[in-house]
Amino acid sequence: MLSSEEKFARRRLRTTYLSSVISIALVLFMLGLLGLILLNAKKLSDYVKENVNVSLIFKDNVSESDILKFKAHLDSSYFVRSSKYVTKEEAAMQLKEDLGEDFIKTLGYNPLLPSIDIRLKAEFANNASISVIEKKLLENENIKEVFYQKSIINLVNDKIRKISIVLIFFSIILLIISIALINNTIRLSVYSKRFLIRSMMLVGATQHFVRKPFVLKGITQGLYGALIAILLFSGTIYLIVNEIPELMDMNEINVFAEVFGIVVLLGLIISYISTIFAVRKYVRLKTDDLYYF
Amino acid sequence: MTGTTMPLDVVIEFNKATISHKFNLILTDVTFQIKRGEFVYMIGKTGTGKSTLLRTLYADIDLYDGNCSIVGYDLKEIKRREIPFLRRKLGIVFQDFQLLMDRTVNDNVIFVMKATGWKDKNLIKDRLDEVLTKVGLNTKGFKMPHELSGGEQQRVAIARALINDPEIILADEPTGNLDPETSGEIVNILFDINKTGRTVFMATHDYPLFSKFPARTLKCENGRIFEASVANMV
């Protein structure tokens, strides 16, 4: 039966091991999250771009059936993602709501025109493409005006480009931080055993023999860390899928598998390399140097 | 292995060697031989270089100058990868025991066996029982080092040093942390080991031991090491 001292020592060892695993797991979780954001970055930017609105304003005398016919034509065209017909009355109601007063009563008539709001496919949601589309649409004599906010579209594209650069920069920084943190966690764990390593070397163990259990422990820490990170990650994905389904759906199983794979691989590789370097340092040190490093 | 041309019955040979530690010269013109089966004390005040000389012998400190051979290894030429194999031919007993505090007495000894190539579980068990019995710890193999007294911990260190049947036992103040009675028991064990033909080279400043267990004595003083007459010192 174990003494209470032994139980305490074992519990303390387990706690140290667990805290190392949790540190690794959290770092890998952050890294995985960033990986998922990067892999979804295009989807995210498409989502933003496809919310840019272009309105086709029809002339007052165009019949609803002509507009609906044109809408059907638009829906089948290569640059349209979705479209919505807005009648004069619906437009008036919307404006009334926005202004907070009944402008029809003041004017005595509804000056608004029927329109179709279209959402373009992401690759056409830039000013150059919209200009070409605008020209093409204006060839239709029923259309009075094509309305879109050039400055907003420019702004959206500019922001997406800047966010992409920041995201890539941030990913590189986070990768470096992750490597440094995991490396530090493992180095600390090996550092605490430097005198044990020294004793092993003094009784004639080879560097390889001393290194082996540390490397195995490092790899299992990396693996457990990665598995916990994947669990956290799965929870996060579940939350996102339920709360913001536009951002992600469960059909993206390939993307998730890719990210999970990367997380496990990074956990194993970083832990393995860190352990090798940390132990190598202490198996090579002379006894006196143990007090300085 | 870095070969030497040492006479067959000589296991340690210093020839005009200089022992230094972190750029400080500790011992100069060190010249002496220890023959197979000898028991040799190395005495001297604290700081005279006894431990530094022993650490040089097990290649924990580089030999600064001159020549030194131990069990066929030339310490001037020894390569880093050869050091573990040199240490396997030595049994080293430290003043501070240097036990692996995270494992039991049995596991401390088994670690050395596994590290030095023992694989057969039955052979490991038999040899473990044999050495623990020799040092009187056959009933305490399951204990952790911190559960043992200083004398018992030193016995574990001796058992560990004996496990591979080394040619030489290097003992660095093995009684330094022990009471006189326990010190006597430890030296007695070392003399028993010596009677089986192994060489024992022991650093100590425990002068009362000499009268009880007389043997050849080397003395470190003023940066030199020389043969000393035990009778005069006692």
Side-chain angles (χ1 to χ4, degrees):
Chain A
M1 205 170 124
L2 295 177
S3 68
S4 62
E5 266 181 11
E6 243 176 290
K7 280 180 189 164
F8 175 72
R10 285 190 184 190
R11 204 166 47 235
R12 205 172 52 181
L13 271 178
R14 264 203 302 272
T15 313
T16 314
Y17 185 82
L18 204 68
S19 62
S20 296
V21 169
I22 288 172
S23 306
I24 293 170
L26 290 177
V27 173
L28 289 175
F29 171 66
M30 287 303 296
L31 211 58
L33 213 57
L34 196 77
L36 191 70
I37 291 172
L38 274 180
L39 289 172
N40 272 284
K42 187 171 180 315
K43 208 180 163 204
L44 215 68
S45 96
D46 287 355
Y47 176 73
V48 174
K49 285 179 180 174
E50 285 175 354
N51 273 298
V52 169
N53 194 48
V54 176
S55 298
L56 310 183
I57 316 290
F58 287 85
K59 289 174 183 167
D60 205 11
N61 56 354
V62 181
S63 69
E64 187 169 310
S65 65
D66 282 345
I67 295 174
L68 287 173
K69 208 183 284 175
F70 188 71
K71 182 182 177 298
H73 169 69
L74 272 179
D75 286 342
S76 63
S77 58
Y78 61 93
F79 54 86
V80 172
R81 185 178 159 263
S82 66
S83 67
K84 186 189 172 202
Y85 170 47
V86 181
T87 62
K88 276 176 73 159
E89 292 71 30
E90 281 169 349
M93 266 182 47
Q94 184 62 48
L95 189 62
K96 226 163 90 179
E97 214 173 275
D98 291 345
L99 294 174
E101 61 178 91
D102 191 354
F103 67 96
I104 296 176
K105 212 173 181 181
T106 316
L107 293 172
Y109 73 103
N110 180 1
L112 300 177
L113 297 169
S115 65
I116 294 178
D117 286 346
I118 56 173
R119 300 275 159 93
L120 298 170
K121 285 183 179 162
E123 57 266 42
F124 300 102
N126 57 70
N127 279 331
S129 301
I130 295 175
S131 293
V132 174
I133 293 166
E134 182 185 12
K135 262 185 201 162
K136 201 175 169 189
L137 290 172
L138 283 174
E139 283 170 9
N140 185 320
E141 56 187 19
N142 288 334
I143 297 173
K144 188 185 175 197
E145 191 189 347
V146 175
F147 178 77
Y148 62 95
Q149 287 185 304
K150 276 187 178 173
S151 58
I152 286 185
I153 292 170
N154 267 337
L155 196 73
V156 165
N157 281 302
D158 189 46
K159 291 285 177 213
I160 286 173
R161 192 177 58 82
K162 282 180 180 162
I163 288 170
S164 301
I165 292 170
V166 170
L167 215 60
I168 289 171
F169 177 74
F170 188 61
S171 309
I172 293 169
I173 295 285
L174 197 72
L175 187 67
I176 294 170
I177 292 172
S178 307
I179 292 172
L181 279 176
I182 294 178
N183 185 43
N184 209 34
T185 305
I186 290 176
R187 273 168 66 107
L188 273 176
S189 147
V190 175
Y191 175 80
S192 68
K193 302 214 162 158
R194 65 196 187 286
F195 288 104
L196 188 74
I197 292 174
R198 190 75 214 130
S199 297
M200 291 173 170
M201 295 302 292
L202 286 177
V203 295
T206 56
Q207 290 188 16
H208 174 72
F209 188 85
V210 173
R211 206 185 297 135
K212 209 163 81 177
F214 283 98
V215 169
L216 278 176
K217 191 180 160 193
I219 288 176
T220 51
Q221 274 182 334
L223 189 67
Y224 289 145
L227 292 178
I228 293 174
I230 285 173
L231 274 179
L232 289 171
F233 210 48
S234 305
T236 311
I237 288 170
Y238 179 77
L239 268 178
I240 294 175
V241 167
N242 279 308
E243 299 299 321
I244 326 169
E246 300 88 342
L247 277 185
M248 215 178 270
D249 62 64
M250 290 311 274
N251 296 326
E252 293 176 71
I253 198 87
N254 285 345
V255 177
F256 301 150
E258 233 172 282
V259 175
F260 289 174
I262 290 170
V263 165
V264 172
L265 217 61
L266 277 176
L268 292 178
I269 291 173
I270 300 175
S271 307
Y272 174 75
I273 293 175
S274 301
T275 314
I276 289 274
F277 278 103
V279 180
R280 197 174 71 161
K281 179 180 170 184
Y282 292 109
V283 293
R284 288 182 167 197
L285 281 184
K286 300 273 182 190
T287 305
D288 294 322
D289 297 330
L290 290 177
Y291 299 94
Y292 300 107
F293 292 95
Chain B
M1 181 167 129
T2 315
T4 65
T5 52
M6 207 161 50
L8 278 176
D9 61 335
V10 175
V11 283
I12 295 176
E13 183 174 38
F14 277 98
N15 190 13
K16 294 191 174 153
T18 303
I19 310 287
S20 77
H21 183 219
K22 293 212 169 275
F23 308 111
N24 296 317
L25 285 184
I26 307 293
L27 292 167
T28 51
D29 198 19
V30 178
T31 303
F32 68 86
Q33 287 185 342
I34 295 179
K35 289 184 178 162
R36 196 179 303 278
E38 269 194 291
F39 191 109
V40 181
Y41 288 116
M42 178 167 51
I43 59 164
K45 288 180 188 166
T46 304
T48 50
K50 302 185 295 297
S51 294
T52 312
L53 188 133
L54 286 181
R55 286 174 62 189
T56 305
L57 282 174
Y58 57 79
D60 192 35
I61 292 177
D62 296 329
L63 179 66
Y64 183 76
D65 198 16
N67 295 307
C68 174
S69 306
I70 178 164
V71 288
Y73 284 88
D74 181 345
L75 293 183
K76 194 76 185 155
E77 303 293 330
I78 194 165
K79 293 179 177 67
R80 190 200 294 270
R81 64 168 188 278
E82 291 176 327
I83 292 174
F85 301 98
L86 159 69
R87 290 177 182 162
R88 289 175 194 186
K89 286 193 161 191
L90 311 174
I92 312 171
V93 183
F94 306 91
Q95 180 179 4
D96 58 354
F97 320 130
Q98 291 280 353
L99 298 178
L100 309 176
M101 299 305 281
D102 63 341
R103 58 198 79 188
T104 62
V105 169
N106 282 343
D107 289 339
N108 261 275
V109 183
I110 289 171
F111 173 82
V112 182
M113 298 170 92
K114 286 189 173 169
T116 51
W118 290 65
K119 287 196 169 67
D120 189 306
K121 280 185 180 171
N122 292 327
L123 288 179
I124 288 176
K125 193 184 171 303
D126 291 347
R127 181 67 180 148
L128 177 70
D129 288 343
E130 190 185 336
V131 288
L132 287 183
T133 306
K134 196 173 271 182
V135 296
L137 284 178
N138 48 330
T139 58
K140 298 195 172 172
F142 62 93
K143 292 213 168 191
M144 297 294 280
H146 67 86
E147 294 173 314
L148 302 176
S149 67
E152 286 172 328
Q153 289 191 44
Q154 195 57 288
R155 283 164 190 259
V156 179
I158 293 172
R160 189 180 63 181
L162 285 175
I163 202 81
N164 280 321
D165 205 7
E167 292 184 38
I168 306 176
I169 299 282
L170 296 178
D172 188 1
E173 309 244 14
T175 59
N177 285 333
L178 307 175
D179 62 78
E181 197 184 328
T182 315
S183 296
E185 288 169 16
I186 294 295
V187 176
N188 220 353
I189 293 174
L190 290 174
F191 265 88
D192 285 344
I193 293 166
N194 176 243
K195 278 176 198 154
T196 62
R198 292 188 194 90
T199 310
V200 179
F201 189 27
M202 172 177 156
T204 184
H205 53 228
D206 196 347
Y207 285 57
L209 283 176
F210 308 149
S211 53
K212 205 170 172 189
F213 304 97
R216 179 186 165 198
T217 304
L218 297 170
K219 186 175 186 183
C220 294
E221 200 173 61
N222 300 326
R224 295 291 172 101
I225 185 164
F226 48 86
E227 298 282 341
S229 158
V230 180
N232 290 343
M233 286 179 302
V234 175

Coordinates of all heavy atoms in Angstrom, one line a residue, chain A residues 3 7 10 19 53 69 79 105-106 117 123 128 150 152 177-178 180 200 207 212 244 259-260 265 270 282 284 287 289:
Chain A
S3 N 2.3 5.0 0.8 CA 2.2 5.9 2.0 C 1.6 7.2 1.5 O 1.5 7.5 0.3 CB 3.6 6.1 2.5 OG 4.3 6.8 1.5
K7 N 1.7 9.0 -2.1 CA 0.5 9.4 -2.9 C 0.6 10.8 -3.2 O 0.2 11.2 -4.4 CB -0.7 9.1 -2.0 CG -1.2 7.7 -2.0 CD -2.4 7.6 -1.1 CE -2.8 6.1 -0.9 NZ -3.7 5.9 0.2
R10 N 3.1 11.3 -6.1 CA 2.5 10.8 -7.3 C 1.5 11.8 -7.9 O 1.4 12.1 -9.1 CB 1.9 9.4 -7.2 CG 3.0 8.4 -7.1 CD 2.5 7.0 -7.2 NE 3.6 6.1 -7.0 CZ 3.5 4.8 -7.2 NH1 2.4 4.3 -7.6 NH2 4.6 4.0 -7.0
S19 N -0.8 19.7 -16.2 CA -0.7 21.1 -16.5 C 0.1 21.3 -17.8 O -0.2 22.2 -18.6 CB -0.2 21.9 -15.3 OG 1.1 21.5 -15.1
N53 N -24.9 44.9 -52.0 CA -26.2 45.0 -52.7 C -26.2 45.9 -53.9 O -25.5 46.9 -53.9 CB -27.2 45.6 -51.7 CG -28.7 45.5 -52.2 OD1 -29.0 44.4 -52.6 ND2 -29.4 46.6 -52.2
K69 N -40.3 38.5 -65.0 CA -39.7 37.7 -66.1 C -38.2 38.0 -66.1 O -37.3 37.2 -66.3 CB -40.3 38.1 -67.4 CG -40.3 37.0 -68.5 CD -40.9 37.5 -69.8 CE -42.4 37.5 -69.8 NZ -43.0 38.1 -71.0
F79 N -23.6 35.8 -63.0 CA -23.0 36.7 -61.9 C -23.9 36.9 -60.7 O -23.5 37.5 -59.8 CB -22.6 38.1 -62.5 CG -23.7 38.8 -63.3 CD1 -24.6 39.6 -62.6 CD2 -23.9 38.6 -64.6 CE1 -25.7 40.2 -63.2 CE2 -24.9 39.3 -65.3 CZ -25.8 40.1 -64.6
K105 N -48.0 60.7 -47.4 CA -49.1 61.7 -46.9 C -48.7 63.1 -47.3 O -49.5 63.9 -47.7 CB -49.3 61.5 -45.4 CG -50.7 61.7 -45.0 CD -50.8 61.3 -43.5 CE -52.2 61.5 -43.0 NZ -52.2 61.1 -41.6
T106 N -47.4 63.4 -47.0 CA -46.8 64.7 -47.2 C -46.9 65.1 -48.7 O -47.3 66.1 -49.1 CB -45.4 64.8 -46.7 OG1 -45.3 64.2 -45.4 CG2 -45.0 66.3 -46.6
D117 N -33.3 43.9 -56.0 CA -32.1 43.9 -55.3 C -31.3 42.6 -55.6 O -31.8 41.6 -55.4 CB -32.3 44.0 -53.8 CG -32.8 45.4 -53.4 OD1 -32.7 46.3 -54.2 OD2 -33.3 45.5 -52.2
E123 N -17.0 36.7 -56.8 CA -15.9 37.1 -57.8 C -16.3 38.3 -58.6 O -15.4 38.9 -59.3 CB -15.5 35.9 -58.7 CG -16.6 35.2 -59.5 CD -17.2 34.0 -58.7 OE1 -17.5 34.1 -57.5 OE2 -17.5 33.0 -59.4
A128 N -14.9 47.0 -60.9 CA -14.6 46.8 -62.3 C -15.6 45.9 -62.9 O -16.2 46.2 -64.0 CB -13.2 46.2 -62.5
K150 N -20.3 52.5 -54.8 CA -19.0 52.2 -55.2 C -18.0 52.3 -54.1 O -17.1 51.4 -53.9 CB -18.5 53.3 -56.3 CG -19.0 52.9 -57.7 CD -18.3 53.9 -58.6 CE -18.8 53.5 -60.0 NZ -18.4 54.5 -61.0
I152 N -18.4 51.8 -50.9 CA -18.6 50.6 -50.0 C -17.9 49.4 -50.5 O -17.2 48.7 -49.8 CB -20.0 50.4 -49.6 CG1 -20.5 51.5 -48.6 CG2 -20.2 49.0 -49.0 CD1 -21.9 51.3 -48.1
I177 N 4.8 31.8 -31.5 CA 4.4 31.8 -30.1 C 4.1 30.4 -29.6 O 4.6 29.9 -28.5 CB 3.2 32.7 -29.8 CG1 3.7 34.2 -30.0 CG2 2.7 32.6 -28.4 CD1 2.5 35.2 -30.0
S178 N 3.4 29.6 -30.4 CA 3.0 28.3 -30.0 C 4.2 27.4 -29.9 O 4.3 26.7 -28.9 CB 2.1 27.6 -31.1 OG 1.0 28.4 -31.4
A180 N 7.2 28.4 -29.3 CA 8.0 28.9 -28.1 C 7.3 28.4 -26.8 O 8.0 27.9 -25.9 CB 8.0 30.4 -28.1
M200 N 21.7 9.7 -14.1 CA 21.6 8.6 -15.1 C 22.9 8.5 -15.9 O 23.4 7.4 -16.2 CB 20.4 8.8 -16.1 CG 19.1 8.7 -15.4 SD 17.8 9.2 -16.6 CE 16.3 8.6 -15.7
Q207 N 23.5 8.5 -24.0 CA 22.6 9.7 -24.3 C 21.2 9.1 -24.8 O 20.2 9.6 -24.5 CB 23.2 10.6 -25.3 CG 24.4 11.4 -24.7 CD 24.9 12.5 -25.6 OE1 24.2 12.9 -26.6 NE2 26.0 13.0 -25.4
K212 N 15.4 8.5 -24.5 CA 14.2 7.7 -24.9 C 12.9 7.9 -24.1 O 11.9 8.3 -24.7 CB 14.6 6.2 -25.0 CG 13.8 5.5 -26.1 CD 14.3 4.2 -26.4 CE 14.0 3.1 -25.4 NZ 14.5 1.8 -25.8
I244 N -23.9 30.6 -35.9 CA -23.7 31.4 -37.2 C -23.6 30.4 -38.3 O -22.5 30.1 -38.8 CB -22.4 32.2 -37.1 CG1 -22.2 32.8 -35.7 CG2 -22.4 33.4 -38.1 CD1 -20.8 33.4 -35.4
V259 N -7.9 20.3 -40.5 CA -7.4 21.0 -39.3 C -7.0 20.1 -38.1 O -6.0 20.3 -37.5 CB -8.5 22.0 -38.8 CG1 -8.1 22.7 -37.6 CG2 -8.7 23.1 -39.9
F260 N -7.9 19.1 -37.9 CA -7.6 18.1 -36.8 C -6.2 17.4 -37.1 O -5.4 17.3 -36.2 CB -8.7 17.0 -36.7 CG -10.0 17.5 -36.2 CD1 -11.1 16.7 -36.2 CD2 -10.1 18.8 -35.7 CE1 -12.3 17.2 -35.7 CE2 -11.3 19.3 -35.2 CZ -12.4 18.5 -35.2
L265 N -0.5 16.7 -35.8 CA 0.8 16.6 -36.4 C 1.7 17.7 -35.7 O 2.9 17.4 -35.3 CB 0.8 16.9 -37.9 CG 1.7 16.2 -38.8 CD1 1.5 14.7 -38.7 CD2 1.6 16.6 -40.2
I270 N 6.2 19.4 -32.7 CA 6.7 20.4 -31.8 C 7.2 19.7 -30.5 O 8.3 20.0 -30.0 CB 5.7 21.5 -31.5 CG1 5.3 22.2 -32.8 CG2 6.3 22.6 -30.5 CD1 4.3 23.3 -32.6
Y282 N 20.9 18.8 -21.6 CA 21.3 18.3 -20.2 C 22.1 17.1 -20.2 O 22.9 16.9 -19.3 CB 20.0 18.2 -19.4 CG 19.4 19.5 -19.1 CD1 18.2 19.9 -19.7 CD2 20.1 20.5 -18.3 CE1 17.7 21.1 -19.5 CE2 19.5 21.7 -18.1 CZ 18.3 22.0 -18.7 OH 17.8 23.3 -18.5
R284 N 24.5 16.6 -22.3 CA 25.8 17.0 -22.7 C 26.5 17.9 -21.6 O 27.7 18.1 -21.7 CB 25.7 17.8 -24.0 CG 25.4 16.9 -25.1 CD 25.3 17.6 -26.4 NE 25.3 16.7 -27.5 CZ 25.6 17.0 -28.8 NH1 26.0 18.3 -29.0 NH2 25.6 16.1 -29.7
T287 N 28.6 18.3 -14.8 CA 27.9 18.5 -13.6 C 27.9 19.9 -13.1 O 26.8 20.5 -12.7 CB 28.5 17.6 -12.4 OG1 28.5 16.3 -12.9 CG2 27.7 17.7 -11.2
D289 N 28.1 22.6 -14.8 CA 27.2 23.5 -15.6 C 25.8 23.4 -15.3 O 25.0 24.3 -15.7 CB 27.5 23.2 -17.1 CG 29.0 23.5 -17.5 OD1 29.6 24.3 -16.8 OD2 29.5 22.7 -18.3

